[in-house]
Amino acid sequence: MTKQDLPQLSKPKQGLPCNGCGYCCNSEPCALAKEFLHCATGPCIALEVVEGRFVCGFVRNPLEYLFMVAHPDQRGSVLDAPPDMDEGHQLSVKIATALGLGQGCDAEDDIQSALWPLIFKSA
Ligand code: SF4
Ligand code: SF4
């Protein structure tokens, strides 16, 4: 997928519903990504695109991403549908809760975010 194929959505104001613009996770990995995925800089390795929106792959398929981090030489296909495992589902729910999914955009409004996705296209 080329950069032109990626979602080109402006960031909504903080607190408004998340539209999957991807500004947050492209700019800097969240605390969970830093701790559990060893992701130090953006874009986050778990960032995925689904139906024109950026989505958190760590929520969608946590076991695959943890496996990938633990076994960096055995690249799994994390974009496959996640296995239907109860543990995986429970972990997804915990991660989604920790991230505050469904509680609106939590990224601050500043000059950088106001320029999104222009700064993304030109990077
Ligand atoms: S939380 Fe905000 S910045 Fe992050 S994807 Fe959602 S709308 Fe965009
Ligand atoms: S783990 Fe999910 S929410 Fe956190 S930075 Fe990565 S894609 Fe974004």
Side-chain angles (χ1 to χ4, degrees), residues 2 52 55 75:
T2 67
V55 299
R75 283 268 159 181

Side-chain angles (χ1 to χ4, degrees), residues 10-12 16-25 54 104-107:
S10 299
K11 178 192 157 328
L16 291 179
C18 171
N19 66 354
C21 74
Y23 167 72
C24 51
C25 311
F54 284 102
C105 177
D106 62 354

Side-chain angles (χ1 to χ4, degrees), residues 51-101:
E51 297 178 353
R53 293 166 48 106
F54 284 102
V55 299
C56 175
F58 197 30
V59 169
R60 198 183 70 80
N61 198 351
L63 296 180
E64 285 284 351
Y65 276 99
L66 291 172
F67 179 87
M68 189 176 83
V69 170
H71 304 86
D73 298 332
Q74 298 180 38
R75 283 268 159 181
S77 53
V78 291
L79 293 179
D80 287 349
D84 185 18
M85 293 172 61
D86 197 39
E87 291 87 353
H89 176 69
Q90 289 178 22
L91 192 52
S92 289
V93 172
K94 286 181 182 171
I95 294 171
T97 302
L99 291 172
L101 256 65

